[in-house]
Amino acid sequence: MNFLGVVFKILNLLIFTVISIILLAKSHTINPVEEFFIICISGIAFLFPWVVFTKAKYLKTKNHLGYILRALFSITGMVTWIEALKSIGSNEATLISYLIPLFTLALAAVFKEEKINKIVFLSITLCIVIILFTLKLETLKFNLWGVSVALCSVVSWALYEIICKKQSYSEHYLSQAFYTFLFAGLMMLPYVIRNDILSKIIDHKEIGFLGALRVMNVVCLFLAYKFAPINVLAPLAFLRLVFMGIGSFILFQIIPSLSVVIASIIIVAINIYTFQIQKLRKNNANEIL
């Protein structure tokens, strides 16, 4: 079962990279909120035939708060991620995104009302220091705004994945995708109406097909968490730089610098070590019980 989880997680990362690269290419003509709203609308349209075919029998849920929170973190995660790509570059933003697994561990402990493990705390601190040092080497002027929105994206995606993991056992994966798009679209609707974004949808209809990709991305994430535990999936985050590096080179002829690659390897190693320690502690605790 873990194998299926790994396969779906790799597909999730690959599809997310494709979406990110295309949105980055379009970001000079349309802002991130507008881009994500178009994705949500097209995602709902893509899933609507399934809703009709199943007579909406899978849409019955009592956990509306969970979907509202997921929609909120989905918006903040995607919008700040696109802004980070624009501000500090795709490979540098990807480097910061490697903090997501560690933040997921830390925030999961907080929600369980447990103390954050010292190893997790030290790992996060060390990774942040490595990231800041690497970014300082990469640029003459430190981009505080770009780093800030990238960290905001990290926290948002970590919270999103925690809620996603919790709901993956109780809700149909397509209904999860539908409700996430629906609530996200409704949240952005006041901004859309006030800024007359509806008229831009036709002008940027090519972004619409990303809605279908986003559906597949979300579904792959749900299935990954269904078939494998988070400690198995989290270390796969290192593939982000591989996929993003290939995509950036193909579209923008940008190659990850040696310092970014080395920093990525170190941070991934810290991630893997931390998750293995957590796994061993959990196994030892189970044996004692």
Side-chain angles (χ1 to χ4, degrees):
M1 297 294 281
N2 282 357
F3 174 75
L4 284 175
V6 169
V7 170
F8 281 119
K9 182 60 177 179
I10 291 174
L11 288 174
N12 163 256
L13 293 171
L14 179 59
I15 295 171
F16 186 80
T17 300
V18 172
I19 293 172
S20 299
I21 291 294
I22 295 175
L23 290 179
L24 179 59
K26 289 287 182 181
S27 61
H28 63 285
T29 59
I30 184 171
N31 72 48
V33 176
E34 295 168 352
E35 288 178 322
F36 194 48
F37 180 77
I38 294 174
I39 288 175
C40 287
I41 294 300
S42 57
I44 293 171
F46 182 78
L47 287 168
F48 193 72
W50 169 78
V51 173
V52 174
F53 180 76
T54 59
K55 298 180 180 179
K57 69 177 181 179
Y58 294 109
L59 296 184
K60 296 178 181 179
T61 181
K62 296 180 180 179
N63 194 12
H64 292 101
L65 177 60
Y67 285 120
I68 291 172
L69 290 174
R70 275 171 65 172
L72 176 63
F73 296 135
S74 178
I75 294 170
T76 56
M78 183 62 79
V79 170
T80 53
W81 170 246
I82 298 170
E83 187 61 34
L85 292 174
K86 291 165 55 180
S87 300
I88 58 177
S90 56
N91 295 314
E92 288 74 13
T94 301
L95 175 65
I96 296 177
S97 75
Y98 285 157
L99 289 170
I100 293 174
L102 293 175
F103 269 82
T104 302
L105 268 182
L107 291 171
V110 170
F111 284 118
K112 292 179 181 178
E113 298 183 351
E114 300 174 354
K115 289 184 178 180
I116 298 177
N117 189 283
K118 289 182 180 179
I119 292 179
V120 175
F121 179 78
L122 290 174
S123 296
I124 291 175
T125 303
L126 180 58
C127 287
I128 290 176
V129 170
I130 292 171
I131 288 169
L132 294 178
F133 179 74
T134 303
L135 294 178
K136 188 65 177 178
L137 289 177
E138 289 295 301
T139 57
L140 296 175
K141 185 177 180 181
F142 187 75
N143 191 331
L144 180 60
W145 167 252
V147 173
S148 299
V149 292
L151 288 173
C152 180
S153 178
V154 165
V155 175
S156 297
W157 287 127
L159 291 168
Y160 177 87
E161 293 201 10
I162 290 171
I163 300 172
C164 177
K165 177 65 176 176
K166 185 176 181 180
Q167 288 186 316
S168 62
Y169 297 109
S170 58
E171 305 276 351
H172 192 280
Y173 56 89
L174 288 180
S175 68
Q176 292 181 60
F178 182 82
Y179 274 126
T180 302
F181 285 128
L182 178 63
F183 282 113
L186 290 175
M187 286 181 181
M188 290 184 285
L189 193 58
Y191 174 88
V192 168
I193 295 174
R194 188 178 64 182
N195 293 277
D196 194 26
I197 295 174
L198 292 175
S199 61
K200 293 185 179 182
I201 293 179
I202 297 176
D203 296 333
H204 296 278
K205 55 183 178 297
E206 67 277 5
I207 296 177
F209 87 96
L210 293 183
L213 282 181
R214 180 62 180 158
V215 170
M216 290 186 282
N217 173 247
V218 172
V219 169
C220 285
L221 179 63
F222 296 159
L223 293 177
Y225 282 131
K226 183 176 182 179
F227 291 119
I230 195 169
N231 62 292
V232 172
L233 300 176
L236 293 173
F238 77 93
L239 289 174
R240 282 176 180 264
L241 185 64
V242 177
F243 295 151
M244 189 64 75
I246 294 172
S248 297
F249 177 74
I250 292 173
L251 286 183
F252 310 114
Q253 288 74 54
I254 298 175
I255 302 175
S257 67
L258 181 61
S259 58
V260 169
V261 173
I262 293 174
S264 298
I265 293 172
I266 294 172
I267 292 173
V268 168
I270 293 172
N271 271 274
I272 293 174
Y273 173 78
T274 304
F275 273 86
Q276 288 302 316
I277 292 296
Q278 292 296 107
K279 183 180 179 181
L280 288 173
R281 287 190 173 187
K282 185 176 180 180
N283 291 339
N284 291 336
N286 291 334
E287 288 178 3
I288 293 174
L289 293 174

